[in-house]
Amino acid sequence: MAKVLLLNGSPRPNGCTAAALREMISVFEAEGIETELIQVGNKDIRGCVACGSCGKTGKCVFDDLVNEVARKFESADGLVIGSPVYYASPNGTILSFLDRLFYSTRFSKHMKTGAAVVSARRGGNTATFDVLNKYFSISGMPIATSTYWNQVHGFTAEDVRKDLEGLQTMRNLARNMSFMIRSFAEAKDKYGLPEVEHGSFTSFPDGK
Ligand SMILES: Cc1cc2nc3c(=O)[nH]c(=O)nc-3n(C[C@H](O)[C@H](O)[C@H](O)COP(=O)(O)O)c2cc1C
Protein backbone atom coordinates (compact mmCIF):
# COMPACT_ATOMS: atom_id res chain seq x y z
CA MET A 1 0.00 0.00 0.00
CA ALA A 2 1.32 3.45 -0.91
CA LYS A 3 2.01 5.78 1.99
CA VAL A 4 2.08 9.56 2.38
CA LEU A 5 3.66 11.36 5.34
CA LEU A 6 2.17 14.73 6.27
CA LEU A 7 4.20 17.13 8.42
CA ASN A 8 2.44 19.84 10.38
CA GLY A 9 4.84 22.71 11.00
CA SER A 10 2.37 24.59 13.16
CA PRO A 11 2.72 24.56 16.95
CA ARG A 12 -1.07 24.17 16.99
CA PRO A 13 -2.01 20.50 16.38
CA ASN A 14 -5.63 21.45 15.71
CA GLY A 15 -5.15 24.79 13.99
CA CYS A 16 -5.50 26.00 10.41
CA THR A 17 -2.68 23.96 8.88
CA ALA A 18 -4.04 20.81 10.53
CA ALA A 19 -7.47 21.52 9.03
CA ALA A 20 -5.91 21.75 5.55
CA LEU A 21 -3.88 18.56 6.03
CA ARG A 22 -6.90 16.66 7.37
CA GLU A 23 -8.86 17.65 4.26
CA MET A 24 -6.12 16.01 2.21
CA ILE A 25 -6.12 12.93 4.45
CA SER A 26 -9.84 12.35 3.80
CA VAL A 27 -9.05 12.13 0.06
CA PHE A 28 -5.97 9.91 0.51
CA GLU A 29 -8.07 7.52 2.58
CA ALA A 30 -10.76 7.42 -0.12
CA GLU A 31 -8.01 6.75 -2.67
CA GLY A 32 -6.66 3.81 -0.63
CA ILE A 33 -3.42 5.56 0.33
CA GLU A 34 -2.10 5.15 3.87
CA THR A 35 -1.30 8.37 5.74
CA GLU A 36 0.60 9.46 8.81
CA LEU A 37 0.26 12.99 10.16
CA ILE A 38 3.33 14.03 12.15
CA GLN A 39 3.19 17.00 14.48
CA VAL A 40 6.48 18.91 14.15
CA GLY A 41 5.79 22.55 15.06
CA ASN A 42 5.25 22.02 18.81
CA LYS A 43 8.53 20.10 19.26
CA ASP A 44 11.84 21.49 20.41
CA ILE A 45 13.75 21.15 17.12
CA ARG A 46 17.12 22.84 16.83
CA GLY A 47 18.72 23.94 13.56
CA CYS A 48 21.55 22.32 11.60
CA VAL A 49 25.02 23.05 13.02
CA ALA A 50 26.85 21.96 9.85
CA CYS A 51 28.99 19.48 11.82
CA GLY A 52 29.17 17.09 8.86
CA SER A 53 28.57 14.04 11.08
CA CYS A 54 25.63 12.95 8.89
CA GLY A 55 28.03 12.67 5.93
CA LYS A 56 29.63 9.69 7.73
CA THR A 57 26.65 8.18 9.54
CA GLY A 58 23.69 8.99 7.26
CA LYS A 59 21.74 10.42 10.20
CA CYS A 60 21.62 13.63 12.19
CA VAL A 61 23.89 13.94 15.21
CA PHE A 62 20.89 15.23 17.20
CA ASP A 63 18.84 12.07 17.65
CA ASP A 64 15.33 13.45 17.80
CA LEU A 65 12.17 13.53 15.66
CA VAL A 66 14.28 14.25 12.57
CA ASN A 67 15.89 10.79 12.62
CA GLU A 68 12.57 9.16 13.49
CA VAL A 69 10.83 10.77 10.51
CA ALA A 70 13.82 10.05 8.25
CA ARG A 71 13.22 6.29 8.66
CA LYS A 72 9.56 6.75 7.73
CA PHE A 73 10.38 9.09 4.83
CA GLU A 74 12.69 6.47 3.32
CA SER A 75 9.83 4.04 2.81
CA ALA A 76 7.11 6.62 2.03
CA ASP A 77 5.89 7.40 -1.49
CA GLY A 78 4.96 11.00 -0.83
CA LEU A 79 5.62 13.87 1.57
CA VAL A 80 3.29 16.77 2.32
CA ILE A 81 4.82 19.71 4.20
CA GLY A 82 2.31 22.00 5.87
CA SER A 83 3.26 25.28 7.51
CA PRO A 84 1.60 28.41 8.84
CA VAL A 85 2.98 31.66 7.41
CA TYR A 86 5.21 33.47 9.91
CA TYR A 87 6.45 36.85 8.71
CA ALA A 88 5.90 35.77 5.09
CA SER A 89 8.01 32.61 5.56
CA PRO A 90 7.51 29.10 6.88
CA ASN A 91 7.42 28.64 10.64
CA GLY A 92 10.97 28.50 12.07
CA THR A 93 10.59 25.05 13.61
CA ILE A 94 9.62 23.38 10.36
CA LEU A 95 12.56 25.04 8.59
CA SER A 96 15.03 23.73 11.19
CA PHE A 97 13.40 20.31 10.88
CA LEU A 98 13.52 20.24 7.06
CA ASP A 99 17.11 21.51 6.83
CA ARG A 100 18.23 18.64 9.03
CA LEU A 101 15.92 16.02 7.48
CA PHE A 102 16.95 16.68 3.90
CA TYR A 103 20.64 17.36 4.62
CA SER A 104 21.26 14.37 6.89
CA THR A 105 19.59 11.64 4.86
CA ARG A 106 21.44 9.82 2.11
CA PHE A 107 18.61 7.60 0.81
CA SER A 108 17.19 8.42 -2.60
CA LYS A 109 14.15 10.66 -2.65
CA HIS A 110 13.98 10.31 -6.41
CA MET A 111 10.36 10.23 -7.69
CA LYS A 112 8.80 10.43 -4.25
CA THR A 113 6.00 12.96 -4.72
CA GLY A 114 6.08 16.20 -2.72
CA ALA A 115 3.51 18.87 -1.96
CA ALA A 116 3.66 22.03 0.14
CA VAL A 117 0.62 23.50 1.86
CA VAL A 118 0.50 26.82 3.66
CA SER A 119 -1.94 28.61 5.93
CA ALA A 120 -2.04 32.36 6.43
CA ARG A 121 -4.38 34.87 7.93
CA ARG A 122 -3.70 37.50 5.26
CA GLY A 123 -0.45 37.38 3.25
CA GLY A 124 2.99 35.97 2.59
CA ASN A 125 1.60 32.70 1.27
CA THR A 126 3.39 32.38 -2.04
CA ALA A 127 6.80 33.30 -0.60
CA THR A 128 6.29 30.56 2.02
CA PHE A 129 5.16 28.11 -0.64
CA ASP A 130 8.32 28.81 -2.68
CA VAL A 131 10.63 28.08 0.25
CA LEU A 132 8.96 24.75 1.01
CA ASN A 133 8.88 23.58 -2.61
CA LYS A 134 12.64 24.03 -2.89
CA TYR A 135 13.29 21.05 -0.60
CA PHE A 136 11.57 18.89 -3.21
CA SER A 137 12.99 20.53 -6.29
CA ILE A 138 16.64 19.81 -5.43
CA SER A 139 15.89 16.24 -4.35
CA GLY A 140 14.48 14.75 -7.55
CA MET A 141 10.98 14.88 -6.09
CA PRO A 142 8.18 15.78 -8.53
CA ILE A 143 5.89 18.43 -7.04
CA ALA A 144 2.13 17.87 -7.00
CA THR A 145 0.00 20.87 -7.84
CA SER A 146 -3.68 21.74 -7.55
CA THR A 147 -6.29 24.04 -9.05
CA TYR A 148 -4.93 27.15 -7.30
CA TRP A 149 -2.23 28.04 -4.75
CA ASN A 150 -2.00 25.28 -2.12
CA GLN A 151 -3.19 27.53 0.67
CA VAL A 152 -5.95 28.09 3.15
CA HIS A 153 -6.84 31.32 4.93
CA GLY A 154 -7.67 31.80 8.56
CA PHE A 155 -6.68 32.52 12.12
CA THR A 156 -8.53 29.52 13.54
CA ALA A 157 -9.46 26.08 12.16
CA GLU A 158 -13.07 27.31 12.15
CA ASP A 159 -12.08 30.08 9.68
CA VAL A 160 -10.41 27.49 7.45
CA ARG A 161 -13.55 25.36 7.40
CA LYS A 162 -15.30 28.40 5.85
CA ASP A 163 -12.57 28.75 3.19
CA LEU A 164 -14.35 26.52 0.69
CA GLU A 165 -11.97 27.27 -2.16
CA GLY A 166 -8.96 26.53 0.05
CA LEU A 167 -10.44 23.17 1.06
CA GLN A 168 -11.32 22.37 -2.54
CA THR A 169 -7.70 23.12 -3.48
CA MET A 170 -6.55 20.67 -0.78
CA ARG A 171 -8.84 17.90 -2.06
CA ASN A 172 -7.73 18.41 -5.66
CA LEU A 173 -4.10 18.45 -4.53
CA ALA A 174 -4.52 15.12 -2.73
CA ARG A 175 -6.24 13.60 -5.79
CA ASN A 176 -3.43 14.75 -8.07
CA MET A 177 -0.83 13.48 -5.65
CA SER A 178 -2.56 10.08 -5.43
CA PHE A 179 -2.59 9.87 -9.22
CA MET A 180 1.11 10.75 -9.40
CA ILE A 181 2.06 8.18 -6.77
CA ARG A 182 0.16 5.41 -8.56
CA SER A 183 1.52 6.46 -11.96
CA PHE A 184 5.13 6.58 -10.75
CA ALA A 185 4.80 3.14 -9.16
CA GLU A 186 3.64 1.71 -12.49
CA ALA A 187 6.26 3.58 -14.47
CA LYS A 188 9.02 2.38 -12.10
CA ASP A 189 7.96 -1.23 -12.78
CA LYS A 190 7.75 -0.64 -16.51
CA TYR A 191 10.76 1.61 -17.22
CA GLY A 192 12.80 1.73 -14.00
CA LEU A 193 13.89 5.03 -12.47
CA PRO A 194 15.74 7.56 -14.68
CA GLU A 195 19.53 7.40 -14.45
CA VAL A 196 21.07 9.86 -11.99
CA GLU A 197 24.67 11.04 -12.36
CA HIS A 198 26.73 11.84 -9.26
CA GLY A 199 30.31 12.81 -8.63
CA SER A 200 30.66 16.43 -9.69
CA PHE A 201 30.59 18.92 -6.80
CA THR A 202 31.89 22.26 -8.02
CA SER A 203 31.85 25.39 -5.94
CA PHE A 204 34.95 27.24 -7.14
CA PRO A 205 36.53 27.89 -10.53
CA ASP A 206 39.21 25.20 -10.03
CA GLY A 207 36.50 22.64 -9.30
CA LYS A 208 37.72 21.98 -5.70
C1 LIG B 1 4.76 34.63 14.75
C2 LIG B 1 3.61 34.69 13.78
C3 LIG B 1 3.78 35.34 12.56
C4 LIG B 1 2.74 35.39 11.64
N1 LIG B 1 2.95 36.01 10.43
C5 LIG B 1 1.94 36.03 9.53
C6 LIG B 1 2.15 36.62 8.24
O1 LIG B 1 3.23 37.09 7.87
N2 LIG B 1 1.09 36.62 7.38
C7 LIG B 1 -0.13 36.12 7.72
O2 LIG B 1 -1.06 36.16 6.92
N3 LIG B 1 -0.35 35.53 8.93
C8 LIG B 1 0.66 35.45 9.82
N4 LIG B 1 0.46 34.84 11.02
C9 LIG B 1 -0.83 34.19 11.27
C10 LIG B 1 -0.79 32.67 10.89
O3 LIG B 1 -0.01 32.42 9.77
C11 LIG B 1 -2.19 32.17 10.55
O4 LIG B 1 -3.08 32.48 11.58
C12 LIG B 1 -2.17 30.70 10.28
O5 LIG B 1 -3.35 30.35 9.59
C13 LIG B 1 -2.08 29.88 11.56
O6 LIG B 1 -2.02 28.50 11.23
P1 LIG B 1 -2.00 27.40 12.40
O7 LIG B 1 -3.31 27.50 13.12
O8 LIG B 1 -1.89 26.09 11.68
O9 LIG B 1 -0.82 27.69 13.25
C14 LIG B 1 1.48 34.79 11.96
C15 LIG B 1 1.32 34.12 13.19
C16 LIG B 1 2.36 34.09 14.09
C17 LIG B 1 2.16 33.36 15.41
Side-chain angles (χ1 to χ4, degrees), residues 113-125:
T113 307
V117 166
V118 308
S119 177
R121 195 183 72 77
R122 294 297 286 174
N125 321 48

Side-chain angles (χ1 to χ4, degrees), residues 24-60:
M24 292 185 75
I25 287 172
S26 66
V27 172
F28 287 131
E29 281 174 357
E31 297 271 349
I33 291 182
E34 193 186 338
T35 59
E36 184 172 349
L37 176 58
I38 299 167
Q39 186 59 41
V40 176
N42 59 355
K43 306 289 184 328
D44 189 7
I45 307 286
R46 60 158 311 136
C48 176
V49 294
C51 67
S53 161
C54 58
K56 294 172 205 125
T57 64
K59 62 179 189 167
C60 186

Side-chain angles (χ1 to χ4, degrees), residues 6-29:
L6 301 99
L7 307 179
N8 185 2
S10 170
R12 306 200 295 178
N14 296 307
C16 304
T17 313
L21 294 174
R22 288 198 181 112
E23 195 70 9
M24 292 185 75
I25 287 172
S26 66
V27 172
F28 287 131
E29 281 174 357

Side-chain angles (χ1 to χ4, degrees), residues 184-197:
F184 291 148
E186 268 193 47
K188 257 190 255 177
D189 283 347
K190 205 167 169 189
Y191 308 112
L193 285 171
E195 186 191 339
V196 181
E197 292 185 35

Side-chain angles (χ1 to χ4, degrees), residues 64-189:
D64 59 10
L65 186 67
V66 171
N67 289 340
E68 205 183 299
V69 171
R71 290 190 287 275
K72 295 177 179 180
F73 185 18
E74 184 166 14
S75 59
D77 304 280
L79 181 71
V80 179
I81 307 171
S83 178
V85 173
Y86 280 9
Y87 292 93
S89 284
N91 158 288
T93 307
I94 193 77
L95 284 180
S96 293
F97 182 88
L98 293 170
D99 285 353
R100 289 176 47 217
L101 178 70
F102 277 79
Y103 200 77
S104 66
T105 47
R106 292 290 166 269
F107 60 80
S108 171
K109 298 157 189 80
H110 201 190
M111 296 297 151
K112 291 181 190 289
T113 307
V117 166
V118 308
S119 177
R121 195 183 72 77
R122 294 297 286 174
N125 321 48
T126 60
T128 304
F129 191 52
D130 282 348
V131 173
L132 296 176
N133 276 333
K134 282 167 185 148
Y135 290 92
F136 306 131
S137 67
I138 65 159
S139 306
M141 294 179 64
I143 296 170
T145 59
S146 186
T147 33
Y148 206 55
W149 304 103
N150 300 344
Q151 64 190 46
V152 291
H153 279 279
F155 190 62
T156 65
E158 206 43 54
D159 298 332
V160 169
R161 283 190 272 277
K162 291 183 207 146
D163 179 8
L164 298 185
E165 183 174 359
L167 294 176
Q168 173 181 267
T169 305
M170 294 304 126
R171 292 192 298 275
N172 287 332
L173 176 63
R175 285 189 197 105
N176 289 350
M177 200 165 165
S178 305
F179 177 87
M180 288 169 76
I181 287 170
R182 278 197 294 269
S183 304
F184 291 148
E186 268 193 47
K188 257 190 255 177
D189 283 347

